[in-house]
Structure formats: C-alpha cells, structure tokens
C-alpha cells in the first residue's frame, strides 16, 4: 500500500446527503458558497469521508466533503497584501 501525506490546513466541511451522481453540492460550494465567503480555494487536495452512513448511489447516503480553503487576501494599492483572517481548524458547515 502506498502512503499519502495530506498537508495540513484549513478545510470547509460540507455534510452531504444524497446520490453520488448529484453534483448540486459542488455547484453550491464552488458557485455560491466559496465566491460569497471570506475564503478562496487552496492548492491542496479535496477529499470525501465515507463513513457508516455512506451507501453508494443511494438517496439516503451521507458523506462529508472537505474542501481546502485559505482566507482571501487584500492587496492594497500601496503594494502590500494582508490576510483577512487566520484559522487553524476546519470549518464545519
């Protein structure tokens, strides 16, 4: 078995219930939630946690979707950039 080391960082966690073919959760995350949040996508892997309530392609299936995020940056006309917020734990939505 190959080992994969996941870099630590801030994640937005979405609890999803529904069929695995339903992509509306990703449309919401990337089309609505992320653009209106104080965060932007971070360059780390996203992943899903499939626990005991996961049932492949079943309407009652449940899973967690973890999206890597980082605070948006503000770049001032003076040439400097500052972070809006810094967090070290996952955001559970």
């Amino acid at each position: 078995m190959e080992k994969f080391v996941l870099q630590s960082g801030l994640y937005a966690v979405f609890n999803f219930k529904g069929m695995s073919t339903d992509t509306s959760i990703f449309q919401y995350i990337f089309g609505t939630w992320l653009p209106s949040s104080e965060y932007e996508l971070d360059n780390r892997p996203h992943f899903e946690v499939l626990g005991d309530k996961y049932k492949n392609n079943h309407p009652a299936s449940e899973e967690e979707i973890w999206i890597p995020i980082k605070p948006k940056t503000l770049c001032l006309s003076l040439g400097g950039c500052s972070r809006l917020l810094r967090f070290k734990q996952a955001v559970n939505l």
Side-chain angles (χ1 to χ4, degrees):
M1 179 181 282
E2 190 174 330
K3 183 177 180 179
F4 179 78
V5 177
L6 183 65
Q7 182 182 356
S8 66
L10 183 63
Y11 281 84
V13 181
F14 297 85
N15 295 312
F16 175 70
K17 182 175 183 178
M19 297 179 63
S20 58
T21 56
D22 180 2
T23 60
S24 63
I25 185 67
F26 292 104
Q27 292 169 357
Y28 169 75
I29 293 169
F30 296 111
T32 302
W33 183 83
L34 192 59
S36 64
S37 75
E38 296 178 351
Y39 304 96
E40 61 189 2
L41 195 60
D42 198 2
N43 189 23
R44 292 178 286 123
H46 84 274
F47 60 93
E48 299 168 15
V49 176
L50 311 176
D52 294 337
K53 295 181 181 181
Y54 178 76
K55 301 173 180 100
N56 190 25
N57 210 23
H58 189 278
S61 183
E62 296 182 35
E63 63 186 87
E64 291 180 348
I65 300 171
W66 290 60
I67 305 295
I69 57 174
K70 61 184 178 182
K72 289 181 181 174
T73 55
L74 290 177
C75 292
L76 307 174
S77 59
L78 300 174
C81 290
S82 62
R83 296 265 181 202
L84 289 175
L85 299 171
R86 292 179 188 258
F87 293 105
K88 293 185 180 180
Q89 61 186 29
V91 176
N92 194 358
L93 303 171

